[in-house]
Amino acid sequence: MNQTTKNKICFGLGTVGRDALYSLVSMYLLVHLTDVVKFSDGGLAVIGVMLTLFGVFDAIIDPFVGAIVDNTKTKWGKFKPWILIGMIGTGILTILMFHNFDMSETSHIILLAVTYLLFSIFFSLNDISYWSLMPAISKDQSVRESVGAFARICANVGMFAMVLSYTQIPTWFAPLGINARDAYFISAIVITIIMWIFQSVTLFGVKEDRSHLEATEKTTIK
């Protein structure tokens, strides 16, 4: 297998577990809190406002994250260190968001606020650095387009796998005597591990061509 093909496969596979994990949080966190954790109406109202505000924060923080990534310089490049940091952070925070700890609703909301806010930051670090890695794979536009197309296919595989499996998770664990909340907590751990494995394929399998990136203009915060 030549390096171009290896880059394409290793880069694309990095999205499978990551998009499955992101779909779990973005599509099903509120469903989980409503149907599984069974928050009160007041608690859900607070969470709804909180998630809306954090959505605005996420849009504001992206340019700053992009500037941080663009101005990074290490022997591992500017992108891979942030992919690694982002994948570890988002994985741990996802597990905490789907935890099965015994705590009051107020304490749960506080923990959720902290973890969701940090999740937004760490996922932005991972997402921006991951997709910014693509121009470093090849100078050839047609190669980059092919890599991007394969990555989108892999991302859809991860997303649809989560969509199809989410409602079945309690059923899979029921024969073991595990309740729905514990089942989703265990599943969050499993999905996190899967995400780390696939992202590691990108980290160790993709070889960058940095020759045309060194002379590019640096992005300032302004």
Side-chain angles (χ1 to χ4, degrees):
M1 182 185 300
N2 61 43
Q3 189 60 50
T4 299
T5 303
K6 183 179 179 182
N7 280 345
K8 176 180 177 178
I9 294 173
C10 292
F11 182 83
L13 289 177
T15 66
V16 177
R18 196 192 68 147
D19 277 65
L21 180 139
Y22 182 73
S23 297
L24 176 65
V25 175
S26 63
M27 298 173 67
Y28 296 115
L29 178 60
L30 197 55
V31 175
H32 179 74
L33 298 174
T34 303
D35 298 344
V36 180
V37 181
K38 299 186 184 304
F39 268 44
S40 67
D41 292 342
L44 290 173
V46 171
I47 291 170
V49 173
M50 179 184 72
L51 294 181
T52 301
L53 293 176
F54 286 169
V56 175
F57 170 80
D58 188 45
I60 295 173
I61 198 67
D62 278 358
F64 295 92
V65 172
I68 292 171
V69 171
D70 189 59
N71 288 285
T72 297
K73 187 175 182 180
T74 73
K75 64 180 181 179
W76 301 285
K78 64 172 66 175
F79 307 122
K80 288 186 177 181
W82 293 115
I83 292 175
L84 176 63
I85 292 171
M87 81 180 200
I88 293 173
T90 52
I92 293 172
L93 292 163
T94 298
I95 292 170
L96 290 175
M97 281 190 280
F98 285 85
H99 72 80
N100 60 351
F101 308 147
D102 184 17
M103 58 174 55
S104 68
E105 184 170 284
T106 300
S107 298
H108 194 157
I109 291 174
I110 293 172
L111 176 62
L112 183 65
V114 174
T115 52
Y116 192 88
L117 182 64
L118 291 174
F119 177 90
S120 297
I121 296 172
F122 277 95
F123 188 81
S124 290
L125 282 169
N126 180 272
D127 190 56
I128 291 173
S129 55
Y130 176 83
W131 290 110
S132 297
L133 175 63
M134 190 162 59
I137 291 178
S138 174
K139 299 177 183 179
D140 190 328
Q141 179 65 24
S142 63
V143 172
R144 294 201 298 268
E145 289 174 355
S146 177
V147 170
F150 181 70
R152 291 297 182 186
I153 292 172
C154 291
N156 286 331
V157 169
M159 180 188 70
F160 284 115
M162 191 70 258
V163 170
L164 293 173
S165 63
Y166 177 81
T167 57
Q168 301 301 315
I169 289 174
T171 304
W172 295 339
F173 284 89
L176 301 175
I178 297 175
N179 62 41
R181 187 166 181 185
D182 290 342
Y184 282 112
F185 178 57
I186 295 170
S187 297
I189 296 173
V190 172
I191 293 168
T192 292
I193 293 173
I194 291 172
M195 187 264 284
W196 286 346
I197 291 172
F198 278 106
Q199 288 268 282
S200 295
V201 171
T202 297
L203 289 174
F204 294 105
V206 171
K207 184 177 180 181
E208 300 174 64
D209 176 8
R210 304 176 190 168
S211 60
H212 64 301
L213 297 175
E214 299 301 326
T216 57
E217 182 180 354
K218 298 299 181 183
T219 303
T220 65
I221 294 296
K222 181 178 179 181

